[in-house]
Amino acid sequence: MERSPRVVRIDELIPADSPRLSGIDRAHVQRLATVYASLPPVLVHRPTMRVVDGMHRISAALLKGLETVEVTFFDGAEDQVFLRSVAANITNGLPLSVADRKTAAARILASHPTLSDRAVAAHVGLDAKTVAGVRTCSAAGSPLLNVRTGADGRIHPLDRTAERLHAAALLTQDPALSLRSVVEQTGLSLGTAHDVRRRLLRGEDPVPQSRQSAGAMLEAGPAKRPRPAGAPVVPGIRPGRTATSAVAGRPPVSPRSRAPMEALRKLSHDPSLRHSDQGRELMRWLHNRFLVDEAWRRRADVVPAHCVDSMAELAQHCSDAWRRFAEEMVRRRHTSAADVAEVRATQPTRR
């Protein structure tokens, strides 16, 4: 925008596409005419010579018999003219009514449907909830979009279902995976990744019910929701199914699996295991053999009928081996406890 004012003939200007439903307020024009010398320059879009802000000032100049006005130029794109006009009208001059602002919000949403509610609210001087209501009322028949452009100018996906499912799959496969690694692989924020982990530990679906409903509205068909490249399928959700359709089925992690997953996570973060080669090797071995309800149920459906007996025998063998391993751990726990008690009993009492 050109800062230094220039004098322009009034008949060279195109009237503003004003957000005011009632048009020019004659009483306000008369008030401006009495203080005309102190008024700021009119804002004009240079490429089109359309007035962006200042129609009341131009009317005051005409009332005083003037043929020229001082203007400063705005060089933005043509689709930004109305946005700038609304923003200018809510910061100075005659205030816009609530009806003016809501109508302006509806126009902005029609011309800039990807703008977020907060971004539109900043332009029209309404709160974001009011803008959201205007969007709902004016969006009938309009295509539903999955992105929003925030007030910061950055593009934010509206539906993060696919990314949440990807994160759930990663954390199910490796409960000790750091959240920062999940963020790097899925594009989620750290807070959202943390929310997915908390939901898994509670046995809940990684996608909140409200998000699932939004995802269902945004989706026109079962094959139109893309999964991130290389994203593994989440347990309990087949490729092509939506998060909403999966709600009726089993959750990604059952309540029975929460305690083992939490135990595995704590072991993976134990310094005595993490900071030794043998400890890290043990945890890799354990991760490769860790099995939750969702995993074996998913694989049980794949076993053909003629392999059921062999698979059952193999599973029983593994179960027996794990049972002996568990008995050994319990024996060591009792042995350690007995050793500690014996040491305490032999220590002299300090007086």
Side-chain angles (χ1 to χ4, degrees):
M1 185 173 70
E2 189 175 292
R3 295 295 179 183
S4 56
R6 293 179 57 186
V7 177
V8 175
R9 290 184 57 84
I10 295 176
D11 57 13
E12 294 179 1
L13 301 176
I14 299 174
D17 183 9
S18 176
R20 298 182 188 278
L21 299 176
S22 58
I24 298 296
D25 185 323
R26 295 300 172 187
H28 186 59
V29 170
Q30 291 178 351
R31 288 194 295 270
L32 293 181
T34 60
V35 293
Y36 185 81
S38 63
L39 297 180
V42 173
L43 182 61
V44 175
H45 185 230
R46 191 199 304 267
T48 61
M49 294 300 287
R50 181 179 293 278
V51 177
V52 177
D53 178 47
M55 286 303 299
H56 282 94
R57 276 165 274 169
I58 291 175
S59 297
L62 292 173
L63 184 62
K64 291 178 66 67
L66 303 177
E67 296 182 351
T68 61
V69 290
E70 284 192 339
V71 305
T72 53
F73 286 112
F74 166 62
D75 293 309
E78 194 167 352
D79 64 352
Q80 298 294 313
V81 173
F82 185 73
L83 289 172
R84 186 62 183 272
S85 176
V86 176
N89 274 279
I90 67 170
T91 56
N92 58 64
L94 187 66
L96 293 177
S97 68
V98 174
D100 292 337
R101 297 172 190 231
K102 287 185 176 180
T103 302
R107 282 192 56 180
I108 293 172
L109 289 170
S111 61
H112 298 76
T114 62
L115 277 182
S116 70
D117 295 338
R118 291 184 182 277
V120 175
H123 283 290
V124 301
L126 294 171
D127 61 84
K129 289 185 178 180
T130 302
V131 174
V134 173
R135 186 191 296 272
T136 301
C137 295
S138 61
S142 301
L144 294 171
L145 305 174
N146 188 34
V147 294
R148 289 283 187 270
T149 303
D152 57 0
R154 297 174 60 186
I155 295 177
H156 306 275
L158 185 64
D159 179 22
R160 286 286 196 176
T161 296
E163 290 83 355
R164 278 179 171 266
L165 296 180
H166 187 188
L170 294 173
L171 292 170
T172 301
Q173 292 176 356
D174 183 3
L177 188 65
S178 71
L179 291 181
R180 294 200 177 275
S181 179
V182 173
V183 168
E184 292 174 0
Q185 296 184 57
T186 63
L188 291 173
S189 68
L190 190 60
T192 303
H194 188 55
D195 180 65
V196 171
R197 168 169 279 171
R198 285 199 306 264
R199 288 178 170 277
L200 291 178
L201 292 175
R202 293 197 300 263
E204 299 174 359
D205 196 286
V207 184
Q209 186 67 42
S210 59
R211 299 287 183 180
Q212 291 166 1
S213 299
M217 292 172 58
L218 286 166
E219 189 169 16
K224 291 188 178 181
R225 185 194 299 282
R227 267 194 310 126
V233 178
V234 176
I237 300 180
R238 297 191 303 273
R241 290 184 64 193
T242 65
T244 306
S245 64
V247 175
R250 55 186 177 272
V253 178
S254 70
R256 289 185 59 184
S257 301
R258 281 184 289 166
M261 288 181 64
E262 179 64 15
L264 182 64
R265 187 186 68 82
K266 288 181 178 178
L267 284 171
S268 300
H269 287 84
D270 189 292
S272 61
L273 293 173
R274 291 180 60 186
H275 298 159
S276 69
D277 292 339
Q278 290 182 335
R280 287 191 294 269
E281 183 181 355
L282 171 63
M283 292 313 302
R284 284 193 295 269
W285 177 84
L286 186 56
H287 275 296
N288 290 334
R289 289 157 179 79
F290 181 75
L291 197 64
V292 293
D293 282 356
E294 293 70 30
W296 73 257
R297 290 182 189 279
R298 213 167 55 246
R299 287 163 177 77
D301 297 335
V302 182
V303 180
H306 65 278
C307 297
V308 167
D309 290 340
S310 299
M311 192 64 68
E313 182 179 352
L314 182 61
Q316 187 62 53
H317 173 78
C318 293
S319 175
D320 292 341
W322 272 109
R323 178 178 52 78
R324 291 192 294 272
F325 182 83
E327 290 172 351
E328 175 65 15
M329 293 297 101
V330 172
R331 186 190 65 80
R332 293 189 183 188
R333 181 181 64 188
H334 291 317
T335 302
S336 299
D339 291 343
V340 170
E342 183 179 352
V343 169
R344 288 178 177 174
T346 57
Q347 285 182 342
T349 304
R350 293 184 180 180
R351 295 184 179 272

